[in-house]
Amino acid sequence: MNTWQRRALYSAVSLGLLILGYAVVYDYGMTTFEGEPTTFLHALQVVVETFTTTGFGSDAGWTSPAMNVIVIVMDLTGVALIFLALPAIVFPLLEETFSTSAPTRADLDDHVVVCEYTPRGETLIEELERREIPYVVVESDRDRADDLHEDGVSVVYGDPESETTLERVNLDAARALVADSIDEANASIALAAGESGTRIIAFVEDTDAADYLTYAGADDVFSPRRLVGESLADKVTTAVSPELRDAVEISDEFEVAELTIRPGSDLAGVTIAESRITERTGAHVIGAWLRGAFVSPPGPDTRLDEHSLLLVAGQEEQLEALKRMTTAETRPYRRGNVVIAGRGEVGSTVDAAIAADGLESVVVDLADKPGVDIVGDATEEAVLKTAGLDDALAVVLALPDDTQTVFAALVIRELYPDIEILARAKETESVRKLYRAGADYVLALATVSGRMLASTILDEDVMDFDSQIEVLQTRCPNLAGRTLAEADVRARTGCTVVAVERDGDVFTDIGADFELRQDDEVIVVGTDEDVNRFTALAE
């Protein structure tokens, strides 16, 4: 219940009790002092007429002093209520209803305070809205705050670094505060919120500043750019390694992994039915990314092409056998250079990670700074040739702007059709564009950040932040007593239940007749939207 609902409810209850009280007094006064008994309903009518200033009707002209005093007090009370109610309740309520300007305060309980509006905050807000968890965004830009308010976002205009602003959004009663501005501002926000006792979650762009945010009072400090960089590097090194890497362990003997189909491999150009993956390896195909579109499960006639990404589950040896099917036996694992476009936090993280695995890199950036090998535009053919894309193992696009990244993917795919392109997207809306432009693997910064926040704030066990799918372990009380066939999770949500944890044991060999219990925790995989639909269904 928001501020106006509570205030309106309290006011209505108080007014109703006051009117009933005056009706009792008026009824008593007419009988005792005027000698003219009346019904309680008539007394109630007179009190309502008094409070609304619509007149007294036939009762006007009282003769006893006591009755005149009662009526005078009623008159003054009615006038006072009008003058108090209009400015305190009615006027602000009308202003809030019809104004297009963002408010400057919000009275919420058990809510999430998001300081500044960003794409990663937008992802979190979508999660909160689906789960009906209250939130408020504190936005320091007046025009942006007004636009968000018009779009239906719960927002207040104010300085998130100000203790007064944080008091106006009832921070003391919030479940968490998310500081999502620049590093210096996030530190100031954490200091301003330090006395509230609310959990403070802060993002950091420069990982060297993480300790300062902790000193400022942040309980959790996240660096999603570094995590994205490490994930992109893992995809590169996985491509040159015959070993299974980067799998999510569900239990000691069961894992979920993403495997890319390489050109010339056994699976390139065949359908799911023709591949006979389960018969040959024992692993199960949960889903497949086909040029940016996630299909779960892929049908028997789904054709796999080079660079398709399979989402698979099984035991380690089964997944290793399947990985051998996704690679080309006639093409040895190359140890060529990796070209990295962009030397920001993501690019430098990729560079360090692949160097640790023994790979060499060539870094291209517009600015001449430490760690940059070639100064130039990664969308220009001459620069790409100088960087050695003719013989490169892969190219990682870690550019700061999504528009530049999309254009670079188009240029590189046109010039080098067979090269592996991995890209970082700042916003989730750019992911599909990058796949259409020719990228083989795209990871959105907002997606990683949103998962981090959701896992931390909602106390969910997200088992894998940095992939294109989400692996979540959660309770499912609404599905208790149903079999997996009756729950029909895949058809209703798009998610796949890969395992169930019960009393400390993990069951992975689960069929359609497996019945869920009240205390079970299910492990599901799917896209972020699919997982959100599942949590809404199960909890």
Side-chain angles (χ1 to χ4, degrees):
M1 185 178 294
N2 62 31
T3 305
W4 298 118
Q5 289 173 330
R6 281 199 300 269
R7 185 175 294 177
L9 177 61
Y10 296 154
S11 300
V13 171
S14 300
L15 181 61
L17 293 175
L18 186 62
I19 289 175
L20 290 175
Y22 269 119
V24 172
V25 172
Y26 187 86
D27 186 24
Y28 174 81
M30 289 296 291
T31 301
T32 305
F33 303 122
E34 293 293 319
E36 299 180 8
T38 184
T39 64
F40 180 77
L41 185 61
H42 180 73
L44 182 63
Q45 176 189 346
V46 172
V47 174
V48 171
E49 289 174 343
T50 303
F51 277 30
T52 58
T53 67
T54 56
F56 304 107
S58 58
D59 279 13
W62 298 275
T63 58
S64 64
M67 197 62 200
N68 278 280
V69 170
I70 291 174
V71 173
I72 290 171
V73 173
M74 279 200 307
D75 287 339
L76 293 175
T77 303
V79 172
L81 284 176
I82 290 175
F83 281 100
L84 288 175
L86 287 177
I89 299 176
V90 179
F91 289 164
L93 183 59
L94 291 175
E95 181 181 358
E96 181 76 11
T97 302
F98 297 106
S99 176
T100 59
S101 298
T104 57
R105 63 174 60 248
D107 188 8
L108 301 170
D109 292 316
D110 196 30
H111 57 298
V112 177
V113 178
V114 182
C115 292
E116 304 290 5
Y117 190 82
T118 66
R120 54 195 173 200
E122 183 179 359
T123 301
L124 172 64
I125 288 170
E126 291 174 357
E127 296 263 0
L128 296 175
E129 287 179 340
R130 287 190 183 99
R131 299 158 195 258
E132 298 183 350
I133 295 175
Y135 72 90
V136 62
V137 176
V138 181
E139 177 56 54
S140 59
D141 184 277
R142 164 60 81 179
D143 293 337
R144 186 169 177 79
D146 292 344
D147 290 341
L148 291 173
H149 180 62
E150 289 188 32
D151 292 339
V153 176
S154 175
V155 61
V156 300
Y157 166 68
D159 181 5
E161 301 175 44
S162 166
E163 293 184 19
T164 301
T165 300
L166 297 181
E167 289 174 359
R168 288 175 178 169
V169 295
N170 202 19
L171 181 61
D172 290 344
R175 66 167 65 186
L177 176 144
V178 178
D180 193 9
S181 185
I182 61 175
D183 292 349
E184 294 81 1
N186 287 343
S188 180
I189 293 169
L191 289 170
E195 299 297 326
S196 66
T198 301
R199 186 176 191 176
I200 302 172
I201 303 168
F203 283 105
V204 61
E205 300 293 336
D206 182 0
T207 53
D208 293 335
D211 288 341
Y212 299 110
L213 288 173
T214 302
Y215 298 152
D219 299 291
D220 301 279
V221 180
F222 293 146
S223 178
R225 292 180 186 274
R226 169 163 289 187
L227 186 59
V228 168
E230 292 172 349
S231 178
L232 292 175
D234 283 341
K235 296 304 176 186
V236 174
T237 54
T238 298
V240 300
S241 173
E243 300 175 356
L244 179 68
R245 305 177 59 172
D246 204 26
V248 180
E249 185 177 292
I250 304 300
S251 68
D252 293 339
E253 299 181 351
F254 193 76
E255 298 177 341
V256 174
E258 292 177 326
L259 298 177
T260 301
I261 298 176
R262 302 295 170 185
S265 68
D266 291 346
L267 299 183
V270 303
T271 64
I272 290 291
E274 293 168 346
S275 69
R276 301 178 59 248
I277 290 175
T278 303
E279 292 83 353
R280 296 168 65 182
T281 67
H284 295 277
V285 178
I286 300 171
W289 288 91
L290 307 172
R291 289 296 177 185
F294 184 69
V295 180
S296 178
D301 297 329
T302 300
R303 186 166 298 277
L304 305 174
D305 58 12
E306 57 187 48
H307 306 312
S308 293
L309 190 67
L310 295 180
L311 178 63
V312 295
Q315 298 177 1
E316 183 177 358
E317 59 272 17
Q318 294 172 337
L319 297 184
E320 288 177 345
L322 178 54
K323 179 174 175 58
R324 289 191 291 271
M325 294 176 62
T326 65
T327 58
E329 295 182 2
T330 58
R331 295 177 61 188
Y333 293 102
R334 292 191 296 166
R335 307 296 294 182
N337 291 340
V338 176
V339 177
I340 303 171
R343 177 67 184 182
E345 183 70 25
V346 174
S348 59
T349 301
V350 173
D351 192 17
I354 63 175
D357 277 319
L359 294 177
E360 297 180 358
S361 64
V362 176
V363 179
V364 180
D365 198 284
L366 288 172
D368 187 4
K369 52 188 176 182
V372 175
D373 299 304
I374 298 175
V375 178
D377 188 343
T379 63
E380 295 181 0
E381 183 176 356
V383 174
L384 296 175
K385 284 187 175 296
T386 304
L389 254 70
D390 291 305
D391 301 314
L393 170 66
V395 58
V396 178
L397 300 179
L399 300 172
D401 182 76
D402 284 357
T403 301
Q404 296 175 5
T405 306
V406 171
F407 189 67
L410 283 168
V411 172
I412 295 171
R413 180 56 68 209
E414 176 67 22
L415 295 174
Y416 305 95
D418 296 328
I419 198 168
E420 189 85 2
I421 302 176
L422 301 95
R424 185 285 305 263
K426 186 176 181 180
E427 301 185 16
T428 54
E429 290 80 2
S430 300
V431 172
R432 190 170 295 277
K433 292 181 183 178
L434 280 164
Y435 277 116
R436 290 173 180 170
D440 298 296
Y441 185 87
V442 183
L443 191 56
L445 190 63
T447 298
V448 174
S449 305
R451 289 178 187 168
M452 284 180 166
L453 288 174
S455 175
T456 303
I457 295 173
L458 305 177
D459 293 324
E460 292 181 341
D461 188 7
V462 177
M463 307 175 77
D464 190 30
F465 293 117
D466 54 337
S467 69
Q468 296 184 97
I469 53 91
E470 184 173 354
V471 184
L472 175 71
Q473 181 170 343
T474 185
R475 299 279 299 277
C476 55
N478 289 346
L479 302 180
R482 303 184 193 180
T483 64
L484 291 178
E486 292 170 341
D488 202 13
V489 171
R490 179 175 282 175
R492 297 168 70 183
T493 69
C495 285
T496 299
V497 179
V498 297
V500 176
E501 182 176 336
R502 176 181 296 167
D503 299 328
D505 296 324
V506 178
F507 298 88
T508 58
D509 187 14
I510 53 178
D513 58 348
F514 187 92
E515 184 175 320
L516 298 171
R517 297 180 184 176
Q518 185 70 28
D519 295 329
D520 284 349
E521 290 196 359
V522 297
I523 300 169
V524 297
V525 296
T527 65
D528 292 282
E529 292 183 359
D530 293 341
V531 170
N532 286 335
R533 281 193 289 267
F534 176 81
T535 53
L537 172 70
E539 296 178 359

